[in-house]
Amino acid sequence: QVQLVESGGGLVQPGGSLRLSCAASGSIFSINAMGWYRQAPGKERELVASITSSGSTNYADSVKGRFTISRDNAKNTVYLQMNSLKPEDTAAYYCNAEIVRRPYSYNYWGQGTQVTVSS
C-alpha cells in the first residue's frame, strides 16, 4: 500500500504565499518523478510543476517565477512554494508521484488540498 498525503492548503489574500507538502508512505522502493497538478471548478486538471529524482524541474508558464517545486528524497516528500498568489491560482491541488514497487512503477495521486486566493 502507498499513500500520498498533502497538506498546506488554505485561504490567502492576493499577493500572499502558501507552501504545500506531499509525503509518500508505504511500500516504496524509490520514487521517480513527483509533481503538482491543479483543477479549478469546470476546468480540466493541469500540470503545475514537476521534479525528477535528480532535481530537474518543469513549470507551467502561468506559474513560472512565482512557484518553486522541491523535494526531500530522504523523506519521500515534495513541496510547492507558491508566492505572489493570484485569484486565478484558486483550485484543488493534487500531488502525483511515480513510485517504484519492484519490479514495476505505479502512478499515485494524493487526495487534494484546496487553495483559495481571495480578498
Side-chain angles (χ1 to χ4, degrees), residues 44-67:
E44 292 187 354
R45 190 172 295 189
E46 63 175 359
L47 174 67
V48 176
S50 63
I51 184 167
T52 67
S53 57
S54 60
S56 296
T57 58
N58 180 53
Y59 295 93
D61 287 343
S62 58
V63 307
K64 282 181 181 176
R66 300 188 297 122
F67 291 10

Side-chain angles (χ1 to χ4, degrees), residues 2-25:
V2 171
Q3 276 192 315
L4 298 182
V5 179
E6 298 132 334
S7 60
L11 173 63
V12 64
Q13 293 187 341
S17 298
L18 282 176
R19 189 190 194 211
L20 305 183
S21 299
C22 172
S25 62

Side-chain angles (χ1 to χ4, degrees), residues 4-6 21-24 34-37 45 78 93-97 108-113:
L4 298 182
V5 179
E6 298 132 334
S21 299
C22 172
M34 303 183 82
W36 289 94
Y37 290 71
R45 190 172 295 189
V78 63
Y93 283 71
Y94 297 89
C95 173
N96 176 268
Y108 290 91
W109 291 91
Q111 80 286 357
T113 185

Side-chain angles (χ1 to χ4, degrees), residues 26-43:
S27 179
I28 298 170
F29 177 76
S30 63
I31 303 177
N32 294 331
M34 303 183 82
W36 289 94
Y37 290 71
R38 67 186 180 188
Q39 187 167 20
K43 294 189 176 182

